[in-house]
Amino acid sequence: MFYLVGLGLGDAKDITVKGLEIVRKARRVYLEAYTSILTIGKNELEKFYGREIILADREMVEQQSDEIFKDSETEDIAFLVVGDPFGATTHTDLVLRAKEKGIAYRVIHNASIMNAIGCCGLQLYNFGETVSIVFWTEDWRPDSFYDKIANNKKGGMHTLCLLDIKVKEQSIENLMRGRKIFEPPRYMTVNQAAEQLLEIIEKKKQEGDQELELTEDTVCVGVARVGSDTQQIVSGTLKQMTTVDFGGPLHSLVIAGHLHPLENDMLKLFAVDVNTLS
Amino acid sequence: MFYLVGLGLGDAKDITVKGLEIVRKARRVYLEAYTSILTIGKNELEKFYGREIILADREMVEQQSDEIFKDSETEDIAFLVVGDPFGATTHTDLVLRAKEKGIAYRVIHNASIMNAIGCCGLQLYNFGETVSIVFWTEDWRPDSFYDKIANNKKGGMHTLCLLDIKVKEQSIENLMRGRKIFEPPRYMTVNQAAEQLLEIIEKKKQEGDQELELTEDTVCVGVARVGSDTQQIVSGTLKQMTTVDFGGPLHSLVIAGHLHPLENDMLKLFAVDVNTLS
């Protein structure tokens, strides 16, 4: 059996009891290590599980899945994913390849940012489409996520913005020379995401767009390290989100839509300045 | 400390290791027992935890929260919730009341239907607003959920439909006479939800609406007992959803929006009849 096991969001003990039993009995244990990060390291996980873990990077998952699936017709193989296997980053391609080979799979679900974001006080069922905000470069500044946020907001819905992660990226020079030298990992902060949004708003204003859904006063919630001991939740305006210190990764940003009174009360618990929330 | 602990979706072993440690050490352990159901019983949970569990019904949670919070300034109290504490049914009111009393709280997240629904092969970030489909009665047939689904579909987004649960409901007669006699629990099936949707479509057609977002051929996914050993996932048309036998509760229904090729491939794994999916 091929097991996709969600690890949840915090530390080693956020795995479920069922997931832990599978990990402890599996023939091989892989950890997907390119779309998210654990707040703790591989060593700590290995110590807690009492098992050796094989790190699976993008190359291994996309090009060497036969290696990963090996023996899974007769033995249990565990593939660990931070959050839930079908969370912010899905592993449907791996499931499809397993099915093609006639390998049975099973999913052990866990919390992911897609549902744990409910901790910020906004009701999950009032969230619209989720967007990804990517790092801008000098000459690549996509802004289509703005339209999706605006569209959600128009319908009264909140938007979860997943912030960019760059892990094991090569510089263009190293890529062209075929050198497997990787840049240090980078994680977008709430501050950076808010700044990019403010820049888009400014640009749209200059282009004559006067009736913008988002302004610098739009209510937002920034979150960091959700589910961990050092979790941080701060609500305030989009402008305020550029200056709050959220500490280490991972960060996410929520743009609030229409606020129900109970949601508003919850946001007040986390306000930078309670006066900026009405 | 007041702990809100998510139990996940399947059986006793879907609690996280962290959650289990809290339950085993807590002074008192409550189980929220009115908005969802466990596929296993309270006894099995008690046996696995080695702890006595106090069932908390709606009345207790809404009117006797002081009782629940008692001693939580100095001792650990655990409040267990099927799924995640901020999942389909949120417990923000309880958090707000705790904060009012100056009681510190902590959330132990877990999978809920709001993220585990990713198992059906549709990408979570392409879901729009979540809707609830309620049991109709002779003279109460609300259909506002149709418009929300149609609006999501128009934007290419999928819709998760949470299906009605009636637990500890009193008949009007028993309610009026103040008799605490409760009706047997009822859970809406995928079949019933699909039938109600088809009836709304038929009514709209008769009223002259010709350009409906939903038809009997709209692609859907019905799911039952997600996360449990007997989990069932079936994709097909809305019409087909009226006849598939999904077995016992809980059921949910997804109405697909625009399908990405990878999503389509996943849906084919679960198709009633692969020819009805293009």
Side-chain angles (χ1 to χ4, degrees):
Chain A
M1 179 75 80
F2 182 66
Y3 286 98
L4 290 137
V5 181
L7 298 186
L9 295 169
D11 56 39
K13 290 187 173 174
D14 285 305
I15 195 170
T16 65
V17 174
K18 195 179 280 169
L20 184 60
E21 285 181 357
I22 290 163
V23 168
R24 291 204 166 141
K25 287 193 301 190
R27 173 75 180 267
R28 293 190 309 281
V29 181
Y30 294 91
L31 171 63
E32 190 272 73
Y34 60 96
T35 61
S36 192
I37 52 154
L38 276 171
T39 46
I40 54 159
K42 170 174 170 271
N43 290 349
E44 210 171 313
L45 275 189
E46 287 184 324
K47 218 169 107 188
F48 182 67
Y49 299 155
R51 295 298 312 272
E52 188 201 333
I53 290 172
I54 306 161
L55 279 187
D57 59 16
R58 188 186 297 267
E59 202 182 327
M60 185 191 273
V61 175
E62 291 180 359
Q63 289 159 36
Q64 299 160 35
S65 56
D66 282 357
E67 191 67 30
I68 295 174
F69 292 143
K70 206 175 131 228
D71 308 322
S72 55
E73 298 88 348
T74 51
E75 313 233 30
D76 289 343
I77 308 297
F79 185 85
L80 312 185
V81 178
V82 176
D84 184 75
F86 296 116
T89 310
T90 68
H91 291 82
T92 48
D93 52 334
L94 208 58
V95 167
L96 285 168
R97 268 176 282 155
K99 287 296 267 188
E100 255 173 39
K101 293 180 185 297
I103 296 163
Y105 76 95
R106 185 141 183 233
V107 178
I108 308 300
H109 290 288
N110 208 321
S112 68
I113 190 66
M114 304 297 280
N115 73 330
I117 192 62
C119 67
C120 79
L122 300 176
Q123 313 276 16
L124 283 184
Y125 51 79
N126 291 336
F127 278 73
E129 187 176 6
T130 303
V131 308
S132 292
I133 300 186
V134 294
F135 277 119
W136 279 350
T137 63
E138 290 247 319
D139 48 7
W140 190 66
R141 304 167 88 77
D143 62 4
S144 58
F145 53 83
Y146 175 91
D147 298 325
K148 291 182 181 177
I149 298 169
N151 192 45
N152 280 342
K153 199 164 167 58
K154 213 168 161 177
M157 289 180 280
H158 315 310
T159 308
L160 170 61
C161 305
L162 301 173
L163 308 188
D164 206 359
I165 296 176
K166 295 277 185 209
V167 181
K168 269 195 130 181
E169 298 277 322
Q170 287 164 283
S171 68
I172 290 173
E173 196 190 334
N174 284 329
L175 192 69
M176 283 171 61
R177 297 185 180 223
R179 292 190 297 218
K180 294 216 166 170
I181 299 171
F182 302 102
E183 302 298 299
R186 288 193 302 150
Y187 308 98
M188 187 183 284
T189 62
V190 166
N191 306 151
Q192 289 168 319
E195 273 157 21
Q196 288 191 187
L197 276 169
L198 285 174
E199 217 178 301
I200 295 168
I201 292 167
E202 198 46 49
K203 186 173 148 242
K204 287 193 184 280
K205 267 193 207 157
Q206 283 173 8
E207 289 168 358
D209 205 336
Q210 296 307 323
E211 306 239 337
L212 290 167
E213 288 292 336
L214 267 72
T215 71
E216 60 175 45
D217 295 322
T218 295
V219 175
C220 299
V221 193
V223 297
R225 301 170 305 286
V226 167
S228 79
D229 289 343
T230 63
Q231 167 178 301
Q232 208 176 331
I233 307 175
V234 181
S235 63
T237 65
L238 181 57
K239 178 88 179 167
Q240 285 169 337
M241 289 297 124
T242 62
T243 53
V244 177
D245 181 4
F246 284 92
L250 288 179
H251 294 186
S252 302
L253 176 65
V254 179
I255 315 293
H258 173 74
L259 290 170
H260 180 277
L262 210 59
E263 292 179 315
N264 212 28
D265 287 348
M266 280 294 287
L267 289 196
K268 281 181 185 164
L269 297 183
F270 308 120
V272 187
D273 172 3
V274 101
N275 297 316
T276 54
L277 296 176
S278 55
Chain B
M1 180 76 80
F2 181 66
Y3 286 99
L4 289 137
V5 181
L7 298 186
L9 294 169
D11 56 39
K13 289 185 175 175
D14 285 306
I15 194 170
T16 65
V17 174
K18 196 179 279 171
L20 184 60
E21 285 180 357
I22 290 164
V23 168
R24 289 203 167 142
K25 287 192 302 192
R27 173 72 180 267
R28 291 190 311 279
V29 181
Y30 294 91
L31 172 64
E32 191 270 74
Y34 61 95
T35 61
S36 192
I37 52 157
L38 276 171
T39 45
I40 54 159
K42 169 175 171 269
N43 290 348
E44 211 171 311
L45 275 189
E46 288 185 324
K47 219 169 105 188
F48 181 67
Y49 299 156
R51 295 299 312 273
E52 188 201 335
I53 290 173
I54 306 162
L55 280 185
D57 60 16
R58 186 185 298 270
E59 202 183 326
M60 185 191 271
V61 175
E62 292 181 357
Q63 289 159 36
Q64 299 160 37
S65 56
D66 282 357
E67 190 67 28
I68 295 174
F69 294 143
K70 206 174 133 228
D71 307 323
S72 55
E73 297 88 347
T74 51
E75 314 233 28
D76 290 343
I77 307 297
F79 185 85
L80 312 184
V81 178
V82 176
D84 184 75
F86 296 116
T89 310
T90 66
H91 291 84
T92 46
D93 53 335
L94 208 57
V95 167
L96 285 168
R97 268 176 282 154
K99 288 295 269 189
E100 254 173 41
K101 292 180 186 300
I103 296 163
Y105 75 94
R106 188 146 178 228
V107 177
I108 308 300
H109 290 288
N110 208 321
S112 68
I113 189 66
M114 304 297 281
N115 74 329
I117 192 63
C119 66
C120 79
L122 301 176
Q123 313 276 17
L124 282 183
Y125 51 78
N126 291 335
F127 278 73
E129 187 176 7
T130 304
V131 309
S132 293
I133 301 187
V134 294
F135 277 119
W136 279 351
T137 62
E138 292 248 317
D139 47 8
W140 190 67
R141 304 168 88 76
D143 62 6
S144 58
F145 53 83
Y146 175 90
D147 298 324
K148 291 182 180 176
I149 298 169
N151 191 45
N152 280 342
K153 200 165 167 56
K154 213 169 161 177
M157 289 180 280
H158 314 310
T159 308
L160 169 62
C161 305
L162 302 172
L163 308 187
D164 207 359
I165 296 175
K166 296 276 186 209
V167 181
K168 269 197 128 180
E169 298 276 322
Q170 287 163 284
S171 68
I172 291 173
E173 196 190 332
N174 283 330
L175 192 71
M176 282 171 62
R177 295 184 183 224
R179 291 190 298 216
K180 294 217 167 171
I181 300 170
F182 302 102
E183 302 297 300
R186 288 193 302 152
Y187 308 99
M188 186 182 284
T189 63
V190 166
N191 306 151
Q192 290 169 317
E195 273 158 19
Q196 287 191 186
L197 277 169
L198 285 174
E199 217 178 300
I200 294 168
I201 292 168
E202 199 45 50
K203 187 174 148 238
K204 288 193 183 281
K205 268 194 207 155
Q206 283 173 8
E207 289 168 358
D209 206 335
Q210 296 306 322
E211 307 237 339
L212 290 167
E213 289 291 336
L214 267 73
T215 70
E216 60 176 42
D217 296 321
T218 295
V219 174
C220 298
V221 193
V223 297
R225 301 171 304 287
V226 168
S228 80
D229 288 343
T230 64
Q231 167 178 302
Q232 209 177 331
I233 307 176
V234 182
S235 62
T237 65
L238 182 56
K239 178 87 179 166
Q240 285 169 337
M241 289 297 124
T242 62
T243 53
V244 177
D245 181 4
F246 283 92
L250 289 179
H251 295 187
S252 302
L253 176 65
V254 178
I255 315 292
H258 172 73
L259 289 171
H260 180 276
L262 210 60
E263 292 178 317
N264 212 29
D265 287 348
M266 281 293 287
L267 289 196
K268 280 180 185 164
L269 297 182
F270 308 121
V272 187
D273 172 3
V274 102
N275 297 316
T276 54
L277 296 177
S278 55

